[in-house]
């Protein structure tokens, strides 16, 4: 079905109007462009970076890799693509995932409709003609009927407020803005601030080459061994022969990842059986560790059993009991996203690695030759800032988005975001977000969630056009009801009890709102399908 003709009368000679403008050329933007073209819609992508890949374009730090298995962290929409692409390892390293994104762009000949180095600064809806006009930092302007924000959930780096960045004579690197040229850390003194996933992945790799490494830890994190390994040809062949079944099973899982899930309680089995299961899971590695039993994320008592097990592992691996104690997190396991590592805890046995607990004694300032903590100066040639992101809303709030009546989205979200299904916002017609707040997004296999959103959004645009409408917009009441539901779902289990970036707790002054939808991918998918079956219930057409 070609919809292009429906839009032709919007073309003017002064300023070309495209059907769809897509912000971002990560996995969402790439698939959106492909899908728009399949529907006969003209589309243009504006991307801030100089290449495709989004997260995998920016996060090039040593040790960066996905924490979801490669065979599942990949597109399903084109069987030729999933059959022909070969992942080398259980957890693909960043360069391989970036190559995959580049391969997708080439395979579907997407590059001709992507403009790079176009960081979008504003997006404004014109109610008279029902178009969105986007401006980017270069001063260029683009007008479109529909605007889709494919800006990612973890794409606005968080720079901690520490005095003295400018005073430092060495080099400061943020893990999420890692340089494209190689960084030679061999023989250097390196300070790392932050022990989330980016810190935990990079610290072991940097420690292998640095002369000295100082890790500044504010909160210890739980990390499970990845048990990464090369993929065997037989297992790849087996998965590929049954890919459709694997994907279908993944969609029945709350997080959209197929794996070994156990719904039983930790208290239904003996202490010995429980420990044996935890040991098996530790040896298997990966994120389904917290799915060893069904009540680990529901009951504090159950969770405590896993906490005790991981603390035991940390004490077993880390030789110095004082350092081991500092590395043992005090909160529940799984409140923050559990990290997946290779050799993280063992790194603290190295002579060239030092751990500084900045909860005990905070960083005072960055000074010309290092990091000052009270009276102690930790000398460094490089400072690696691994302090994460203004998650979920950061990239959207960085753009001045204006809907009906010049309403600013940033202002509307001052007390926290609101969205209908994480897809659309009342007052912002023809604007969509991919994996926005209020959808499972970061609590799921992002690739599967992206595919679902891209298909839903493009189908919705096609429907709107086919019905002869010029606008589609979430209603306030649907948005309110959904957001209330998202907040209720956020209270399920233990996750909300920990300060995390899911709640905005990592950013000073950010409102505490549980942003992703914790109700699970199957329930969410069902809701999205029901909305469509009900003639796009909760949306108004104009
Ligand atoms: P995270 O998980 O947000 O981790 C950031 C780390 O930086 C964490 O240890 C923070 O400590 C620390 N941090 C944040 N601000 C400061 C300041 N001001 N001073 C010292 N330390 C600070 O980000 P990542 O990039 O590691 O990972 C993000 C996601 O990417 C991850 O969950 C995976 O899904 C992939 P805190 O815990 O806030 O005390």
């Amino acid at each position: 079905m070609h919809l292009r003709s429906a839009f032709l009368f919007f073309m003017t000679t002064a300023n070309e109007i495209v059907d769809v403008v897509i912000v971002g050329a990560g996995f969402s933007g790439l698939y959106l462009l492909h899908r728009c073209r399949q529907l006969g819609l003209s589309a243009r992508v504006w991307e801030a970076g100089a290449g495709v890949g989004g997260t995998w374009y920016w996060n090039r730090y040593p040790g960066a890799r996905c924490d979801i298995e490669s065979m599942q962290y990949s597109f399903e929409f084109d069987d030729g693509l999933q059959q022909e692409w070969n992942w080398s390892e259980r957890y693909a390293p960043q360069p391989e995932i970036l190559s995959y994104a580049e391969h997708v762009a080439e395979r579907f000949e997407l590059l001709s409709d992507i403009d790079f180095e176009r960081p979008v600064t504003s997006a404004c809806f014109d109610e008279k003609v029902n178009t969105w006009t986007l401006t980017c930092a270069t001063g260029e302007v683009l007008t479109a009927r529909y605007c889709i924000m494919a800006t990612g959930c973890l794409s606005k780096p968080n720079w901690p407020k520490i005095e003295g960045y400018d005073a430092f004579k060495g080099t400061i690197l943020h893990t999420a803005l890692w340089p494209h040229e190689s960084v030679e850390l061999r023989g250097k003194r390196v300070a790392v601030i932050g022990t989330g996933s980016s810190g935990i992945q990079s610290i072991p790799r940097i420690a292998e080459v640095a002369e000295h490494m100082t890790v500044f830890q504010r909160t210890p994190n739980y990390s499970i061994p990845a048990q990464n390994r090369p993929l065997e040809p037989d297992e790849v062949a087996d998965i590929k022969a049954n890919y459709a079944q694997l994907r279908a099973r993944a969609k029945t899982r709350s997080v959209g990842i197929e794996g070994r899930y156990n719904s039983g309680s930790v208290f239904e089995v003996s202490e010995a059986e429980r420990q044996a299961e935890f040991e098996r899971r530790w040896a298997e590695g990966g994120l389904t560790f917290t799915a060893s039993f069904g009540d680990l994320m529901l009951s504090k008592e159950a969770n405590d059993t896993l906490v005790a097990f991981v603390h035991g592992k940390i004490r077993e691996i880390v030789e110095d009991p004082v350092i081991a104690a500092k590395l043992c997190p005090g909160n529940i396991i799984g409140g923050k996203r559990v990290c997946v590592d290779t050799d993280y805890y063992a790194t603290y046995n190295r002579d060239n690695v030092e751990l500084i607990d900045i909860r005990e004694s905070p960083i005072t300032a960055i000074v010309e030759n290092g990091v000052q903590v009270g009276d102690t100066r930790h000398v460094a040639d490089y400072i690696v800032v691994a302090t994460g992101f203004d998650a979920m809303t950061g990239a959207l709030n960085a753009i001045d988005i204006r809907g009906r009546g010049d309403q600013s989205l940033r202002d509307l979200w001052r007390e926290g975001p609101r969205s209908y299904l994480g897809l659309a916002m009342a007052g912002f017609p023809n604007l969509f977000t991919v994996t926005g707040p209020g959808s499972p997004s970061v609590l799921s296999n992002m690739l599967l969630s992206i595919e679902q959103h891209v298909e839903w959004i493009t189908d919705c645009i096609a429907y709107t056009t086919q019905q002869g409408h010029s606008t589609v917009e979430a209603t306030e009441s649907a948005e309110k009801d959904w957001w209330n539901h998202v907040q209720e779902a956020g209270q399920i289990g233990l996750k909300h009890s920990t300060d995390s970036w899911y709640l905005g707790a990592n950013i000073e002054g950010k409102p505490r709102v549980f942003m992703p939808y914790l109700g699970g991918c199957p329930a969410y998918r069902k809701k999205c399908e029901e909305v469509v079956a009900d003639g796009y219930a909760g949306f108004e057409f104009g």
Side-chain angles (χ1 to χ4, degrees):
M1 163 66 67
H2 268 244
L3 303 171
R4 181 131 183 76
S5 56
F7 295 97
L8 282 178
F9 76 98
F10 284 102
M11 306 283 281
T12 69
T13 47
N15 187 12
E16 190 197 352
I17 297 180
V18 292
D19 301 332
V20 183
V21 58
I22 298 159
V23 184
F27 284 123
S28 308
L30 293 177
Y31 185 33
L32 276 167
L33 176 55
H34 179 59
R35 199 84 198 324
C36 282
R37 282 182 181 173
Q38 285 181 323
L39 290 166
L41 298 165
S42 66
R44 197 90 210 142
V45 179
W46 268 8
E47 160 60 50
V52 301
T55 290
W56 304 104
Y57 170 87
W58 296 102
N59 289 267
R60 296 166 179 249
Y61 57 83
R65 59 177 76 239
C66 190
D67 58 6
I68 295 175
E69 296 191 24
S70 324
M71 296 299 290
Q72 298 202 51
Y73 189 82
S74 49
F75 279 132
E76 177 194 13
F77 72 82
D78 185 283
D79 195 45
L81 170 67
Q82 69 179 2
Q83 292 297 334
E84 286 163 35
W85 181 264
N86 286 314
W87 294 106
S88 64
E89 294 175 54
R90 182 181 180 193
Y91 297 98
Q94 173 271 334
E96 194 169 318
I97 308 175
L98 183 59
S99 299
Y100 174 71
E102 289 165 351
H103 170 77
V104 170
E106 278 157 32
R107 186 182 181 102
F108 299 105
E109 298 176 353
L110 302 175
L111 292 172
S112 57
D113 282 323
I114 305 175
D115 295 317
F116 294 108
E117 297 178 309
R118 301 292 196 289
V120 174
T121 51
S122 70
C124 302
F125 185 66
D126 183 337
E127 285 181 72
K128 289 193 219 78
V129 285
N130 294 326
T131 57
W132 280 93
T133 297
L134 275 70
T135 309
C136 76
T138 62
E140 287 156 284
V141 170
L142 183 61
T143 302
R145 303 253 355 261
Y146 294 89
C147 174
I148 310 176
M149 294 294 176
T151 43
C153 296
L154 297 164
S155 41
K156 174 91 184 355
N158 170 37
W159 283 97
K161 288 188 183 130
I162 305 174
E163 255 179 59
Y165 284 112
D166 291 343
F168 188 57
K169 297 267 193 297
T171 305
I172 298 178
L173 303 168
H174 196 297
T175 44
L177 298 167
W178 200 263
H180 289 212
E181 56 282 5
S182 81
V183 179
E184 188 46 90
L185 297 175
R186 189 168 295 279
K188 299 289 191 291
R189 294 163 299 183
V190 184
V192 179
I193 304 174
T195 52
S197 182
S198 306
I200 282 175
Q201 287 187 337
S202 58
I203 285 164
R205 301 292 78 80
I206 298 173
E208 282 164 359
V209 296
E211 180 201 298
H212 186 81
M213 167 179 264
T214 318
V215 177
F216 296 90
Q217 172 190 272
R218 188 164 70 178
T219 316
N221 251 303
Y222 291 98
S223 194
I224 306 307
Q227 313 290 15
N228 190 35
R229 56 176 173 76
L231 285 169
E232 298 300 331
D234 284 359
E235 65 181 318
V236 171
D238 188 45
I239 290 175
K240 285 187 175 178
N242 300 288
Y243 233 141
Q245 289 89 324
L246 174 72
R247 302 292 197 181
R249 285 198 306 277
K251 284 179 197 148
T252 66
R253 300 301 189 184
S254 175
V255 290
I257 304 169
E258 179 53 343
R260 225 156 54 76
Y261 295 84
N262 177 4
S263 55
S265 163
V266 288
F267 300 115
E268 280 169 8
V269 296
S270 69
E271 169 72 22
E273 281 172 277
R274 186 188 310 149
Q275 292 305 313
E277 180 60 11
F278 290 158
E279 285 289 357
R280 261 194 301 278
R281 299 272 182 163
W282 185 269
E284 274 170 24
L287 282 178
T288 48
F289 186 68
T290 47
S292 312
F293 291 93
D295 52 355
L296 288 168
M297 289 309 301
L298 298 175
S299 134
K300 171 81 169 64
E301 291 68 35
N303 195 282
D304 284 345
T305 64
L306 193 56
V307 166
F309 176 83
V310 179
H311 283 185
K313 284 289 177 197
I314 297 171
R315 292 197 191 97
E316 206 175 287
I317 299 168
V318 180
E319 289 155 9
D320 182 331
V322 177
I323 297 174
K326 285 183 182 172
L327 289 167
C328 285
N331 45 4
I332 61 154
I333 183 166
K336 290 184 179 184
R337 190 183 177 106
V338 170
C339 302
V340 171
D341 74 274
T342 301
D343 303 331
Y344 177 63
Y345 293 118
T347 297
Y348 292 94
N349 294 333
R350 299 178 67 102
D351 291 339
N352 66 335
V353 176
E354 196 181 350
L355 178 67
I356 307 297
D357 182 347
I358 54 171
R359 268 260 193 253
E360 267 174 20
S361 178
I363 294 175
T364 331
I366 290 173
V367 290
E368 58 175 36
N369 60 347
V371 179
Q372 191 76 28
V373 176
D375 294 337
T376 313
R377 178 161 303 190
H378 299 275
V379 176
D381 306 306
Y382 283 84
I383 298 176
V384 173
V385 179
T387 49
F389 303 88
D390 181 352
M392 305 212 66
T393 53
L396 292 166
N397 282 337
I399 301 171
D400 186 12
I401 300 173
R402 305 259 164 179
R404 282 195 196 284
D406 203 34
Q407 173 68 62
S408 145
L409 186 70
R410 208 185 276 160
D411 285 347
L412 213 58
W413 283 8
R414 214 162 279 284
E415 303 301 317
R418 269 164 175 265
S419 161
Y420 183 36
L421 301 169
L423 283 164
M425 284 76 68
F428 296 81
N430 295 2
L431 177 76
F432 295 96
T433 51
V434 181
T435 62
S439 71
S441 61
V442 290
L443 297 176
S444 70
N445 177 354
M446 282 300 274
L447 268 274
L448 284 196
S449 288
I450 283 171
E451 282 189 326
Q452 187 230 342
H453 265 195
V454 167
E455 286 160 17
W456 195 98
I457 292 167
T458 47
D459 284 349
C460 177
I461 293 175
Y463 175 86
T464 306
T465 309
Q466 279 157 7
Q467 298 297 309
H469 302 301
S470 51
T471 59
V472 53
E473 179 179 354
T475 65
E476 266 183 43
S477 64
E479 180 184 87
K480 188 163 167 259
D481 290 348
W482 179 253
W483 198 256
N484 287 341
H485 174 59
V486 170
Q487 293 313 296
E488 277 166 23
Q491 297 301 307
I492 299 169
L494 304 173
K495 231 174 170 59
H496 63 93
S497 65
T498 305
D499 280 348
S500 70
W501 54 254
Y502 300 129
L503 274 161
N506 62 328
I507 303 292
E508 223 178 292
K510 190 166 173 172
R512 298 282 175 100
V513 174
F514 199 87
M515 294 181 284
Y517 177 57
L518 190 53
C521 292
Y524 177 77
R525 259 174 204 271
K526 186 162 171 273
K527 169 73 183 175
C528 290
E529 285 162 9
E530 283 167 3
V531 164
V532 176
D534 224 356
Y536 287 91
F539 285 90
E540 267 171 359
F541 294 92

